[in-house]
Amino acid sequence: KNRIEQSRLGATPMSKIALVDDDRNILTSVSMTLEAEGFEVETYNDGQAALDAFNKKLPDMAVLDIKMPRMDGMDLLQRLRQKTQMPVIFLTSKDDEIDEVLGLRMGADDYVKKPFSQRLLVERIRALLRRQE
């Protein structure tokens, strides 16, 4: 069914969000929040695992940590931008302004610093997805 039929029927298409972070507590709490808000969530604990999955099927958007094992968020974003313009939010404890500037210049759509408000993260995700429609 297309989006018009779904909205006419009162159903909304579930957006698939990829959550990539090596902190299991963040993966658990953020995915629970997003699922409660109606999103479908796939979690990955490093950039390489996420890239492998994205090569099979891209999500509607990604929320990436920067500092991760195997492949960090900056490398993952660089590889993603070679083939897609899907929305990407960096979610990171890196506090240096230069990292934020670099992330945005590399093609991230937003940058959220840990600790963060989950409610605000959900609204930033919704805003980016609205622009994609």
Side-chain angles (χ1 to χ4, degrees):
K1 296 176 184 174
N2 65 34
R3 287 178 187 263
I4 295 169
E5 286 175 357
Q6 287 174 328
S7 63
R8 191 168 38 91
L9 297 172
T12 56
M14 278 186 21
S15 296
K16 183 182 269 185
I17 310 296
L19 185 57
V20 189
D21 199 309
D22 60 333
D23 183 330
R24 198 172 333 163
N25 293 329
I26 287 181
L27 288 178
T28 301
S29 66
V30 173
S31 64
M32 286 174 60
T33 298
L34 291 173
E35 287 168 353
E37 293 291 330
F39 295 104
E40 185 180 333
V41 182
E42 295 288 330
T43 60
Y44 307 94
N45 60 6
D46 66 64
Q48 187 61 55
L51 184 63
D52 293 344
F54 296 170
N55 283 332
K56 294 178 183 113
K57 183 161 176 29
L58 280 173
D60 296 307
M61 81 170 293
V63 178
L64 313 177
D65 186 17
I66 290 183
K67 292 190 328 188
M68 294 183 290
R70 290 180 57 195
M71 179 186 297
D72 70 20
M74 293 282 191
D75 288 341
L76 178 55
L77 177 63
Q78 195 170 24
R79 299 220 185 158
L80 287 175
R81 286 297 177 246
Q82 292 171 4
K83 60 179 158 193
T84 180
Q85 290 301 310
M86 79 169 166
V88 172
I89 295 176
F90 272 133
L91 179 65
T92 185
S93 57
K94 290 194 90 166
D95 196 357
D96 197 349
E97 183 179 289
I98 194 72
D99 290 314
E100 189 170 351
V101 169
L102 184 60
L104 292 169
R105 282 190 180 169
M106 287 178 64
D109 298 284
D110 205 347
Y111 195 101
V112 177
K113 293 178 188 164
K114 299 175 189 173
F116 60 95
S117 157
Q118 291 203 19
R119 183 180 306 149
L120 214 57
L121 177 63
V122 167
E123 293 311 318
R124 287 172 185 254
I125 288 170
R126 283 194 173 121
L128 284 170
L129 288 171
R130 269 194 310 271
R131 284 190 225 134
Q132 291 299 107
E133 290 178 352

mmCIF file of all heavy atoms in Angstrom, residues 87-124:
data_model
loop_
_atom_site.group_PDB
_atom_site.id
_atom_site.type_symbol
_atom_site.label_atom_id
_atom_site.label_comp_id
_atom_site.label_asym_id
_atom_site.label_seq_id
_atom_site.Cartn_x
_atom_site.Cartn_y
_atom_site.Cartn_z
ATOM 1 N N PRO A 87 18.913 10.543 6.328
ATOM 2 C CA PRO A 87 19.249 11.383 7.479
ATOM 3 C C PRO A 87 20.116 10.632 8.498
ATOM 4 O O PRO A 87 19.899 9.443 8.745
ATOM 5 C CB PRO A 87 17.895 11.720 8.093
ATOM 6 C CG PRO A 87 16.882 11.412 7.054
ATOM 7 C CD PRO A 87 17.473 10.354 6.186
ATOM 8 N N VAL A 88 21.087 11.353 9.053
ATOM 9 C CA VAL A 88 21.981 10.795 10.067
ATOM 10 C C VAL A 88 22.125 11.800 11.203
ATOM 11 O O VAL A 88 22.385 12.978 10.966
ATOM 12 C CB VAL A 88 23.377 10.474 9.482
ATOM 13 C CG1 VAL A 88 24.358 10.087 10.579
ATOM 14 C CG2 VAL A 88 23.292 9.376 8.434
ATOM 15 N N ILE A 89 21.936 11.307 12.425
ATOM 16 C CA ILE A 89 22.178 12.113 13.629
ATOM 17 C C ILE A 89 23.343 11.485 14.365
ATOM 18 O O ILE A 89 23.366 10.277 14.603
ATOM 19 C CB ILE A 89 20.947 12.128 14.560
ATOM 20 C CG1 ILE A 89 19.762 12.824 13.889
ATOM 21 C CG2 ILE A 89 21.292 12.820 15.892
ATOM 22 C CD1 ILE A 89 18.478 12.791 14.721
ATOM 23 N N PHE A 90 24.332 12.309 14.724
ATOM 24 C CA PHE A 90 25.386 11.835 15.615
ATOM 25 C C PHE A 90 24.909 11.991 17.046
ATOM 26 O O PHE A 90 24.372 13.034 17.436
ATOM 27 C CB PHE A 90 26.685 12.630 15.434
ATOM 28 C CG PHE A 90 27.585 12.096 14.367
ATOM 29 C CD1 PHE A 90 28.151 12.942 13.437
ATOM 30 C CD2 PHE A 90 27.893 10.745 14.292
ATOM 31 C CE1 PHE A 90 28.994 12.467 12.454
ATOM 32 C CE2 PHE A 90 28.737 10.255 13.309
ATOM 33 C CZ PHE A 90 29.287 11.121 12.389
ATOM 34 N N LEU A 91 25.093 10.949 17.828
ATOM 35 C CA LEU A 91 24.750 10.933 19.250
ATOM 36 C C LEU A 91 26.045 10.567 19.958
ATOM 37 O O LEU A 91 26.500 9.434 19.862
ATOM 38 C CB LEU A 91 23.682 9.869 19.492
ATOM 39 C CG LEU A 91 23.184 9.671 20.910
ATOM 40 C CD1 LEU A 91 22.452 10.919 21.377
ATOM 41 C CD2 LEU A 91 22.259 8.470 20.960
ATOM 42 N N THR A 92 26.670 11.546 20.613
ATOM 43 C CA THR A 92 28.022 11.269 21.073
ATOM 44 C C THR A 92 28.404 11.990 22.354
ATOM 45 O O THR A 92 27.860 13.039 22.669
ATOM 46 C CB THR A 92 29.021 11.616 19.957
ATOM 47 O OG1 THR A 92 30.320 11.234 20.350
ATOM 48 C CG2 THR A 92 28.998 13.099 19.647
ATOM 49 N N SER A 93 29.347 11.394 23.048
ATOM 50 C CA SER A 93 29.890 12.018 24.253
ATOM 51 C C SER A 93 31.077 12.910 23.904
ATOM 52 O O SER A 93 31.598 13.608 24.761
ATOM 53 C CB SER A 93 30.327 10.945 25.256
ATOM 54 O OG SER A 93 31.265 10.090 24.658
ATOM 55 N N LYS A 94 31.501 12.879 22.640
ATOM 56 C CA LYS A 94 32.607 13.752 22.236
ATOM 57 C C LYS A 94 32.131 15.190 22.369
ATOM 58 O O LYS A 94 31.144 15.584 21.792
ATOM 59 C CB LYS A 94 33.067 13.446 20.815
ATOM 60 C CG LYS A 94 33.781 12.098 20.742
ATOM 61 C CD LYS A 94 34.519 11.939 19.457
ATOM 62 C CE LYS A 94 35.912 12.472 19.637
ATOM 63 N NZ LYS A 94 36.838 12.091 18.591
ATOM 64 N N ASP A 95 32.876 15.943 23.121
ATOM 65 C CA ASP A 95 32.435 17.249 23.568
ATOM 66 C C ASP A 95 33.128 18.376 22.817
ATOM 67 O O ASP A 95 32.884 19.539 23.052
ATOM 68 C CB ASP A 95 32.743 17.324 25.074
ATOM 69 C CG ASP A 95 32.020 18.446 25.751
ATOM 70 O OD1 ASP A 95 31.332 19.195 25.054
ATOM 71 O OD2 ASP A 95 32.167 18.579 26.963
ATOM 72 N N ASP A 96 34.027 18.028 21.924
ATOM 73 C CA ASP A 96 34.839 19.028 21.250
ATOM 74 C C ASP A 96 34.066 19.634 20.071
ATOM 75 O O ASP A 96 33.525 18.908 19.240
ATOM 76 C CB ASP A 96 36.123 18.342 20.752
ATOM 77 C CG ASP A 96 37.206 19.334 20.418
ATOM 78 O OD1 ASP A 96 36.912 20.542 20.365
ATOM 79 O OD2 ASP A 96 38.345 18.897 20.215
ATOM 80 N N GLU A 97 34.037 20.948 20.010
ATOM 81 C CA GLU A 97 33.315 21.639 18.940
ATOM 82 C C GLU A 97 33.837 21.224 17.563
ATOM 83 O O GLU A 97 33.070 21.119 16.604
ATOM 84 C CB GLU A 97 33.447 23.153 19.118
ATOM 85 C CG GLU A 97 32.665 23.940 18.100
ATOM 86 C CD GLU A 97 32.811 25.432 18.320
ATOM 87 O OE1 GLU A 97 32.260 25.937 19.310
ATOM 88 O OE2 GLU A 97 33.479 26.076 17.495
ATOM 89 N N ILE A 98 35.137 20.962 17.452
ATOM 90 C CA ILE A 98 35.708 20.581 16.159
ATOM 91 C C ILE A 98 35.103 19.270 15.654
ATOM 92 O O ILE A 98 34.883 19.094 14.461
ATOM 93 C CB ILE A 98 37.257 20.527 16.193
ATOM 94 C CG1 ILE A 98 37.834 20.467 14.772
ATOM 95 C CG2 ILE A 98 37.758 19.365 17.015
ATOM 96 C CD1 ILE A 98 37.717 21.740 14.005
ATOM 97 N N ASP A 99 34.782 18.339 16.569
ATOM 98 C CA ASP A 99 34.143 17.086 16.161
ATOM 99 C C ASP A 99 32.746 17.349 15.612
ATOM 100 O O ASP A 99 32.331 16.740 14.630
ATOM 101 C CB ASP A 99 34.056 16.108 17.342
ATOM 102 C CG ASP A 99 35.412 15.578 17.746
ATOM 103 O OD1 ASP A 99 36.178 15.191 16.843
ATOM 104 O OD2 ASP A 99 35.703 15.548 18.949
ATOM 105 N N GLU A 100 32.036 18.265 16.258
ATOM 106 C CA GLU A 100 30.698 18.614 15.791
ATOM 107 C C GLU A 100 30.767 19.258 14.407
ATOM 108 O O GLU A 100 30.014 18.884 13.500
ATOM 109 C CB GLU A 100 30.026 19.566 16.790
ATOM 110 C CG GLU A 100 28.586 19.816 16.498
ATOM 111 C CD GLU A 100 27.870 20.567 17.616
ATOM 112 O OE1 GLU A 100 28.448 20.747 18.709
ATOM 113 O OE2 GLU A 100 26.723 20.970 17.386
ATOM 114 N N VAL A 101 31.681 20.183 14.232
ATOM 115 C CA VAL A 101 31.857 20.847 12.938
ATOM 116 C C VAL A 101 32.222 19.819 11.863
ATOM 117 O O VAL A 101 31.636 19.797 10.776
ATOM 118 C CB VAL A 101 32.929 21.958 13.033
ATOM 119 C CG1 VAL A 101 33.324 22.471 11.651
ATOM 120 C CG2 VAL A 101 32.429 23.099 13.908
ATOM 121 N N LEU A 102 33.177 18.948 12.173
ATOM 122 C CA LEU A 102 33.612 17.929 11.222
ATOM 123 C C LEU A 102 32.460 16.994 10.846
ATOM 124 O O LEU A 102 32.243 16.696 9.667
ATOM 125 C CB LEU A 102 34.775 17.131 11.803
ATOM 126 C CG LEU A 102 35.416 16.089 10.897
ATOM 127 C CD1 LEU A 102 35.982 16.737 9.637
ATOM 128 C CD2 LEU A 102 36.519 15.357 11.645
ATOM 129 N N GLY A 103 31.707 16.549 11.850
ATOM 130 C CA GLY A 103 30.572 15.666 11.583
ATOM 131 C C GLY A 103 29.549 16.307 10.666
ATOM 132 O O GLY A 103 29.062 15.686 9.720
ATOM 133 N N LEU A 104 29.213 17.558 10.919
ATOM 134 C CA LEU A 104 28.241 18.268 10.088
ATOM 135 C C LEU A 104 28.786 18.485 8.679
ATOM 136 O O LEU A 104 28.064 18.324 7.698
ATOM 137 C CB LEU A 104 27.839 19.589 10.742
ATOM 138 C CG LEU A 104 27.032 19.436 12.037
ATOM 139 C CD1 LEU A 104 26.912 20.773 12.749
ATOM 140 C CD2 LEU A 104 25.666 18.829 11.780
ATOM 141 N N ARG A 105 30.070 18.814 8.569
ATOM 142 C CA ARG A 105 30.672 19.001 7.239
ATOM 143 C C ARG A 105 30.720 17.709 6.441
ATOM 144 O O ARG A 105 30.634 17.731 5.225
ATOM 145 C CB ARG A 105 32.091 19.563 7.365
ATOM 146 C CG ARG A 105 32.115 21.028 7.642
ATOM 147 C CD ARG A 105 33.491 21.588 7.525
ATOM 148 N NE ARG A 105 33.479 23.014 7.810
ATOM 149 C CZ ARG A 105 34.564 23.735 7.994
ATOM 150 N NH1 ARG A 105 35.756 23.167 7.951
ATOM 151 N NH2 ARG A 105 34.469 25.013 8.247
ATOM 152 N N MET A 106 30.857 16.579 7.145
ATOM 153 C CA MET A 106 30.920 15.284 6.458
ATOM 154 C C MET A 106 29.541 14.818 6.006
ATOM 155 O O MET A 106 29.431 13.853 5.265
ATOM 156 C CB MET A 106 31.527 14.225 7.379
ATOM 157 C CG MET A 106 33.014 14.401 7.564
ATOM 158 S SD MET A 106 33.667 13.170 8.708
ATOM 159 C CE MET A 106 33.348 11.671 7.815
ATOM 160 N N GLY A 107 28.492 15.493 6.480
ATOM 161 C CA GLY A 107 27.161 15.156 5.995
ATOM 162 C C GLY A 107 26.170 14.720 7.051
ATOM 163 O O GLY A 107 25.058 14.313 6.714
ATOM 164 N N ALA A 108 26.532 14.796 8.330
ATOM 165 C CA ALA A 108 25.542 14.511 9.376
ATOM 166 C C ALA A 108 24.481 15.610 9.339
ATOM 167 O O ALA A 108 24.776 16.758 9.018
ATOM 168 C CB ALA A 108 26.204 14.464 10.750
ATOM 169 N N ASP A 109 23.256 15.243 9.656
ATOM 170 C CA ASP A 109 22.160 16.212 9.638
ATOM 171 C C ASP A 109 21.957 16.885 10.982
ATOM 172 O O ASP A 109 21.380 17.969 11.061
ATOM 173 C CB ASP A 109 20.864 15.507 9.220
ATOM 174 C CG ASP A 109 20.986 14.947 7.819
ATOM 175 O OD1 ASP A 109 20.906 15.741 6.870
ATOM 176 O OD2 ASP A 109 21.189 13.728 7.675
ATOM 177 N N ASP A 110 22.422 16.245 12.042
ATOM 178 C CA ASP A 110 22.263 16.805 13.380
ATOM 179 C C ASP A 110 23.306 16.166 14.285
ATOM 180 O O ASP A 110 23.916 15.153 13.923
ATOM 181 C CB ASP A 110 20.850 16.542 13.906
ATOM 182 C CG ASP A 110 20.402 17.556 14.949
ATOM 183 O OD1 ASP A 110 21.240 18.322 15.464
ATOM 184 O OD2 ASP A 110 19.191 17.570 15.261
ATOM 185 N N TYR A 111 23.492 16.750 15.454
ATOM 186 C CA TYR A 111 24.529 16.320 16.375
ATOM 187 C C TYR A 111 23.982 16.504 17.786
ATOM 188 O O TYR A 111 23.651 17.624 18.175
ATOM 189 C CB TYR A 111 25.763 17.212 16.155
ATOM 190 C CG TYR A 111 27.052 16.729 16.757
ATOM 191 C CD1 TYR A 111 28.012 16.105 15.970
ATOM 192 C CD2 TYR A 111 27.334 16.922 18.107
ATOM 193 C CE1 TYR A 111 29.219 15.683 16.503
ATOM 194 C CE2 TYR A 111 28.533 16.497 18.653
ATOM 195 C CZ TYR A 111 29.470 15.889 17.847
ATOM 196 O OH TYR A 111 30.665 15.470 18.371
ATOM 197 N N VAL A 112 23.824 15.410 18.520
ATOM 198 C CA VAL A 112 23.257 15.457 19.865
ATOM 199 C C VAL A 112 24.320 14.955 20.841
ATOM 200 O O VAL A 112 24.874 13.876 20.657
ATOM 201 C CB VAL A 112 21.980 14.590 19.962
ATOM 202 C CG1 VAL A 112 21.441 14.582 21.380
ATOM 203 C CG2 VAL A 112 20.923 15.075 18.970
ATOM 204 N N LYS A 113 24.595 15.760 21.878
ATOM 205 C CA LYS A 113 25.629 15.401 22.860
ATOM 206 C C LYS A 113 25.035 14.637 24.027
ATOM 207 O O LYS A 113 23.966 14.965 24.512
ATOM 208 C CB LYS A 113 26.328 16.660 23.373
ATOM 209 C CG LYS A 113 27.149 17.354 22.325
ATOM 210 C CD LYS A 113 27.775 18.625 22.874
ATOM 211 C CE LYS A 113 28.437 19.387 21.745
ATOM 212 N NZ LYS A 113 28.726 20.754 22.097
ATOM 213 N N LYS A 114 25.761 13.589 24.459
ATOM 214 C CA LYS A 114 25.400 12.835 25.662
ATOM 215 C C LYS A 114 25.884 13.621 26.869
ATOM 216 O O LYS A 114 26.960 14.208 26.801
ATOM 217 C CB LYS A 114 26.080 11.460 25.662
ATOM 218 C CG LYS A 114 25.694 10.568 24.511
ATOM 219 C CD LYS A 114 26.540 9.296 24.564
ATOM 220 C CE LYS A 114 26.362 8.447 23.332
ATOM 221 N NZ LYS A 114 27.290 7.318 23.301
ATOM 222 N N PRO A 115 25.163 13.641 27.962
ATOM 223 C CA PRO A 115 23.814 13.100 28.158
ATOM 224 C C PRO A 115 22.796 13.938 27.380
ATOM 225 O O PRO A 115 23.021 15.108 27.109
ATOM 226 C CB PRO A 115 23.591 13.207 29.662
ATOM 227 C CG PRO A 115 24.466 14.335 30.099
ATOM 228 C CD PRO A 115 25.646 14.317 29.158
ATOM 229 N N PHE A 116 21.678 13.329 27.033
ATOM 230 C CA PHE A 116 20.710 13.985 26.158
ATOM 231 C C PHE A 116 19.289 13.658 26.609
ATOM 232 O O PHE A 116 19.059 12.695 27.326
ATOM 233 C CB PHE A 116 20.909 13.530 24.707
ATOM 234 C CG PHE A 116 20.746 12.045 24.538
ATOM 235 C CD1 PHE A 116 19.540 11.502 24.161
ATOM 236 C CD2 PHE A 116 21.806 11.187 24.797
ATOM 237 C CE1 PHE A 116 19.381 10.134 24.039
ATOM 238 C CE2 PHE A 116 21.665 9.813 24.669
ATOM 239 C CZ PHE A 116 20.445 9.284 24.288
ATOM 240 N N SER A 117 18.365 14.475 26.145
ATOM 241 C CA SER A 117 16.944 14.250 26.399
ATOM 242 C C SER A 117 16.413 13.310 25.325
ATOM 243 O O SER A 117 16.513 13.609 24.129
ATOM 244 C CB SER A 117 16.193 15.582 26.338
ATOM 245 O OG SER A 117 14.834 15.374 26.052
ATOM 246 N N GLN A 118 15.859 12.180 25.744
ATOM 247 C CA GLN A 118 15.314 11.239 24.763
ATOM 248 C C GLN A 118 14.116 11.842 24.035
ATOM 249 O O GLN A 118 13.922 11.605 22.848
ATOM 250 C CB GLN A 118 14.961 9.909 25.432
ATOM 251 C CG GLN A 118 16.222 9.193 25.870
ATOM 252 C CD GLN A 118 16.043 7.707 26.030
ATOM 253 O OE1 GLN A 118 15.114 7.109 25.506
ATOM 254 N NE2 GLN A 118 16.964 7.100 26.745
ATOM 255 N N ARG A 119 13.331 12.641 24.724
ATOM 256 C CA ARG A 119 12.179 13.293 24.090
ATOM 257 C C ARG A 119 12.644 14.208 22.957
ATOM 258 O O ARG A 119 12.074 14.226 21.875
ATOM 259 C CB ARG A 119 11.394 14.096 25.128
ATOM 260 C CG ARG A 119 10.148 14.743 24.546
ATOM 261 C CD ARG A 119 9.368 15.528 25.569
ATOM 262 N NE ARG A 119 9.058 14.715 26.732
ATOM 263 C CZ ARG A 119 8.942 15.193 27.968
ATOM 264 N NH1 ARG A 119 9.095 16.477 28.197
ATOM 265 N NH2 ARG A 119 8.645 14.410 28.968
ATOM 266 N N LEU A 120 13.721 14.959 23.227
ATOM 267 C CA LEU A 120 14.264 15.847 22.206
ATOM 268 C C LEU A 120 14.836 15.053 21.032
ATOM 269 O O LEU A 120 14.651 15.430 19.866
ATOM 270 C CB LEU A 120 15.362 16.729 22.818
ATOM 271 C CG LEU A 120 15.486 18.124 22.266
ATOM 272 C CD1 LEU A 120 14.183 18.895 22.401
ATOM 273 C CD2 LEU A 120 16.601 18.858 22.968
ATOM 274 N N LEU A 121 15.500 13.937 21.310
ATOM 275 C CA LEU A 121 16.029 13.091 20.238
ATOM 276 C C LEU A 121 14.893 12.585 19.348
ATOM 277 O O LEU A 121 14.989 12.633 18.118
ATOM 278 C CB LEU A 121 16.828 11.913 20.811
ATOM 279 C CG LEU A 121 17.364 10.923 19.777
ATOM 280 C CD1 LEU A 121 18.355 11.601 18.829
ATOM 281 C CD2 LEU A 121 18.011 9.727 20.472
ATOM 282 N N VAL A 122 13.793 12.132 19.950
ATOM 283 C CA VAL A 122 12.638 11.652 19.182
ATOM 284 C C VAL A 122 12.118 12.760 18.272
ATOM 285 O O VAL A 122 11.832 12.527 17.090
ATOM 286 C CB VAL A 122 11.518 11.137 20.120
ATOM 287 C CG1 VAL A 122 10.216 10.935 19.359
ATOM 288 C CG2 VAL A 122 11.949 9.850 20.807
ATOM 289 N N GLU A 123 12.016 13.973 18.772
ATOM 290 C CA GLU A 123 11.492 15.079 17.955
ATOM 291 C C GLU A 123 12.457 15.464 16.843
ATOM 292 O O GLU A 123 12.031 15.829 15.745
ATOM 293 C CB GLU A 123 11.138 16.283 18.835
ATOM 294 C CG GLU A 123 9.967 16.018 19.764
ATOM 295 C CD GLU A 123 8.742 15.404 19.072
ATOM 296 O OE1 GLU A 123 8.374 15.835 17.949
ATOM 297 O OE2 GLU A 123 8.147 14.463 19.646
ATOM 298 N N ARG A 124 13.758 15.377 17.092
ATOM 299 C CA ARG A 124 14.745 15.658 16.038
ATOM 300 C C ARG A 124 14.639 14.590 14.936
ATOM 301 O O ARG A 124 14.737 14.903 13.747
ATOM 302 C CB ARG A 124 16.161 15.696 16.611
ATOM 303 C CG ARG A 124 16.424 16.937 17.440
ATOM 304 C CD ARG A 124 17.769 16.818 18.142
ATOM 305 N NE ARG A 124 18.003 17.918 19.036
ATOM 306 C CZ ARG A 124 18.849 18.916 18.802
ATOM 307 N NH1 ARG A 124 19.553 18.945 17.693
ATOM 308 N NH2 ARG A 124 19.003 19.865 19.682
#
